[in-house]
Amino acid sequence: MASAPFADEGYMECDEDTSMISLTNLNIDSLDEREGQLLVSLPLSRLAAIQRRIVPHFRVDIIGSLPSEVSLQIFSHLQYETLLVCSLVNRRWNTLANDQSHWMRLCRERNWKWRQPSCIHPLDTPLIHHDGYNDLDDEGMGDSDVDGDNGDRELLLNDVEAAKAELTLMHVELESGFESTSFSGPPVVSPEPSMSGARYTLYPKSSPERDHSRPPARHSAPAALKTIGQTPHISPDYKLLYQTHMKIYNRFRTSSYRLSALQTRGAPNNAHTNTIYCLQLYTYPSGLQVLFTGSRDKTVREWNLTTGLVERVIGGVHTASVLSVCVHGGYLASAGSDNRVAVWDLEKNQLHKVLMDHTDSVLCVRFDDRRLVSCSKGIDVPFVFLEDHTMRTYSFPDLTPQHILRAHRAAVNAVSISQNIIASGSGDKSIKLWDADTGKLLRTFELHHNRGIASIDFQYPHVLTGSSDRHLRLVNTLNLKQGWSTSPEYLYDPPDLASSSSPISTVPSGSRFMCQCCGSENVHLVPNGVQGPCVHSDLVRSVVLGEDFVVSGSYDLSIKVWDRKTGGMIADLTGGHTARIFCIGIDRTKVGVIKTVLCASSLTL
C-alpha cells in the first residue's frame, strides 16, 4: 500500500488568484483607517523620515515637463492674477508665465496698445487761480421748452507717448508713491505769422527749435531710467504695460490724482484769449498725441501734449464762438454759434468744406467713417418764431446732405454716434434714437430727466446723459431696468458684478445704500478719502462713458468719476477751475498717463 505524501503542517501553498481576490475585496476605507492608525503609532522621527522619502514623488512638474508649445497653450487660458501667481512657482513656470504672447493677448482684449517712448517729458505748469473772473454765458447750451432753463447757471495730462522708459518710471513711482515731474515755469512760445491772402488762417506746426525754449526739467526717476528714455527703439513689454494699466486703474479707485495745468491766463503766449468751450484728444498714425480745443475767440488750437505747446492755430472760418469739435481719421470738424460746421483736412493743412445749412447755433458735431451729424438750437423772438431744433446728417467724407431729423421740441444740445444709430439729447427732457442710414426715428425716451438734457454719450446699447437737473443717468436701451442714476426717482436692477469684465469689483452684487445727500438708492457708499457730495450741485455740462468709469463735468466747478457698473462715486475732483466746466475728455489708450481727464473752463485747461 502506497504511503500518503508527506504533509508539512507548518507550510501552506500560496494561491495567487485567491490572494488577488481577497485584496480587491478589501474595504478601502478600512484600509485607510488601518494605515492612519499605523502612522499615528509611529514616533515623530520615523514619520519625518517617511515624509522625506515620499514628498519628492509628489513634486512632479507635469506642465513644466511638457513641450514648450503645449505648456504655453495651457498658460494662454489663464487670467492675469493667475499668471502672476504661476510666475512665482519656479524658474520654468516663471518663463512660461512671463511669455509676451500671454500679456499681449490680455492687452489686446482691453485695447491697450504699446507705444514707443518719447524722450521729452510733459510739462507740469503750476495752476494759477484768478479771482473775480465770471463767465456766466454758455453759448453751447440751448433752451428748454418747458422750464425755460437757459443752461442753468489739471490739464491732468502727462502723456509721454507711452513707452517702456516712461512706463518703467511710472511703475517705480506707483510702487513708492507718486512723485510728479516739475518745471520751473510755464512754457514760452513765440507767436508765428499767419498766412495772408487766405480765407482762413492756418499756423504751421512748430519747429523742433521751439523745444529748446522750455526750462530744464527735474524728474524723480533714477538716473538709470533717464538713460533708458534715450533709446531709439524699445522692445514691447506687454506685462509691464498691463501691470501699469492696472496700477493706474487702482489709482482711480483710490482717488490718487495730480493736478496739472496746460493753459493758464497768459501762458503760453499763443494760447486761447477767451473762454474754452470744447476739446478732444487725438492720436496721429505716427503715435503723436495732441489735444484740439475750441474757444470763444473763434479759433481751434492744436496742443502737443508731449511739449505742452500750441502747434497749430486754425482760424478765419468761424465768425463766432467755436462750440464743438470732433476729430477722427485725419479730419477735424468744428461747429460754432455762427451756424456753421467747418471740416478740416489735418494732413493737407487745408479747409475741406464748410456747411451752412442750420439756421441757428450748431451746438454739437460728431462724425465717423461714414457720416457726419450736427445739431442745432432754436430761438424765440417776439411775434416771430425761428425754429431749428434739428439734426442734419451728411455722408462722409464728401459731405453730401442726407437727412434732416426733426422731432425734438427744444434745442438739441448733444448728439452721439454708435454703429449706425444716432442718439440725441434735448432741452425738451427727452433722448431719441435714430437710424443713421434711413433717418428713421427708432425710439423716444420722454421725460428722461426732470429738466433739459445738456450732454450725452452713447455706446450701444448704453446711453449716458447729464442734465440741468444736476443728475446723471445711464440706461441700457434694450432693458431700461438695467442702469443707474444719481437721482432717487429711478430704481434699477442691481448690477451683476460677478459676471463683470472689470478687472476689479469692489462692491458686492446686489448691494444698495441710501445716499445721505440725495436720498438715492441707486448709488453706493462713497469710498473712504473721497470728499464732496455724491451728486453735482449744478448743471452737468459734459459726460464721458468709459470702459470702466463714467466721468462728468459740471457748472459747479467739479469733475466727478463714477463706477460704470454700480454708479458709485469714485472721485470728486475740485480745485482745478475757478469758472464753469464746459467740456471734459478722458483717455486710456496710451501709456504714460493711461487715464487722463481734461477739462475746459474759462481761460484754463
Side-chain angles (χ1 to χ4, degrees), residues 194-200:
S194 62
M195 298 173 60
S196 59
R199 184 181 177 185
Y200 56 90

Side-chain angles (χ1 to χ4, degrees), residues 237-304:
D237 188 339
Y238 288 98
K239 179 181 179 181
L240 185 60
L241 172 63
Y242 196 94
Q243 288 179 307
T244 306
H245 271 277
M246 294 308 302
K247 286 182 178 294
I248 298 183
Y249 179 95
N250 292 331
R251 295 188 70 81
F252 255 59
R253 285 287 183 185
T254 56
S255 302
S256 301
Y257 302 96
R258 179 187 56 170
L259 175 64
S260 301
L262 181 63
Q263 171 176 330
T264 56
R265 289 174 182 263
N269 291 339
N270 61 343
H272 286 295
T273 59
N274 212 322
T275 303
I276 301 170
Y277 280 132
C278 52
L279 55 79
Q280 184 177 332
L281 287 160
Y282 179 68
T283 302
Y284 285 102
S286 63
L288 175 65
Q289 188 181 42
V290 298
L291 174 69
F292 287 93
T293 55
S295 168
R296 194 173 184 175
D297 64 10
K298 310 174 187 177
T299 68
V300 175
R301 296 176 192 255
E302 177 184 348
W303 302 75
N304 185 321

Side-chain angles (χ1 to χ4, degrees), residues 2 24 93 167 172 267 288 302 305 408 437 458 464 485 497 525 550 558 575:
T24 56
W93 281 42
L167 199 52
V172 172
L288 175 65
E302 177 184 348
L305 296 182
H408 286 293
D437 296 326
F458 180 40
L464 173 69
S485 173
L497 295 180
L525 289 176
V550 165
S558 74

Side-chain angles (χ1 to χ4, degrees), residues 45 58 270 298 369 373 459 486 500 526 528 575 579 599:
S45 59
F58 295 98
N270 61 343
K298 310 174 187 177
D369 294 327
V373 183
Q459 295 178 10
T486 58
S500 171
V526 177
N528 293 332
C599 45

Side-chain angles (χ1 to χ4, degrees), residues 379-526:
I379 57 175
D380 292 315
V381 180
F383 308 108
V384 179
F385 184 68
L386 301 177
E387 182 185 66
D388 194 331
H389 301 169
T390 64
M391 293 180 293
R392 295 176 180 265
T393 66
Y394 304 83
S395 60
F396 195 84
D398 60 323
L399 299 177
T400 302
Q402 290 182 323
H403 308 289
I404 301 178
L405 311 180
R406 306 176 186 271
H408 286 293
R409 303 180 303 276
V412 185
N413 290 319
V415 293
S416 186
I417 308 174
S418 181
Q419 301 177 17
N420 67 328
I421 299 178
I422 300 171
S424 59
S426 169
D428 62 11
K429 309 178 187 178
S430 73
I431 60 174
K432 298 181 184 292
L433 302 183
W434 311 77
D435 187 312
D437 296 326
T438 64
K440 179 182 178 181
L441 177 61
L442 301 176
R443 191 169 184 180
T444 298
F445 301 88
E446 292 287 358
L447 301 178
H448 197 66
H449 283 271
N450 289 330
R451 302 189 71 176
I453 294 173
S455 50
I456 192 169
D457 198 3
F458 180 40
Q459 295 178 10
Y460 184 82
H462 297 95
V463 177
L464 173 69
T465 52
S467 169
S468 56
D469 65 5
R470 305 175 300 173
H471 290 290
L472 285 82
R473 191 175 180 186
L474 175 66
V475 296
N476 184 335
T477 57
L478 301 179
N479 183 355
L480 295 183
K481 292 299 293 181
Q482 293 182 359
W484 55 264
S485 173
T486 58
S487 171
E489 299 187 12
Y490 307 100
L491 291 177
Y492 298 90
D493 296 331
D496 183 8
L497 295 180
S499 61
S500 171
S501 60
S502 297
I504 299 175
S505 296
T506 57
V507 181
S509 177
S511 298
R512 288 206 180 279
F513 306 99
M514 175 67 73
C515 174
Q516 299 301 317
C517 178
C518 65
S520 175
E521 295 182 1
N522 300 305
V523 296
H524 297 269
L525 289 176
V526 177

Side-chain angles (χ1 to χ4, degrees), residues 147-165:
D147 296 321
D149 58 307
N150 297 319
D152 283 348
R153 317 310 197 231
E154 102 191 52
L155 165 75
L156 237 169
L157 201 40
N158 284 331
D159 196 336
V160 201
E161 299 282 52
K164 189 172 182 177

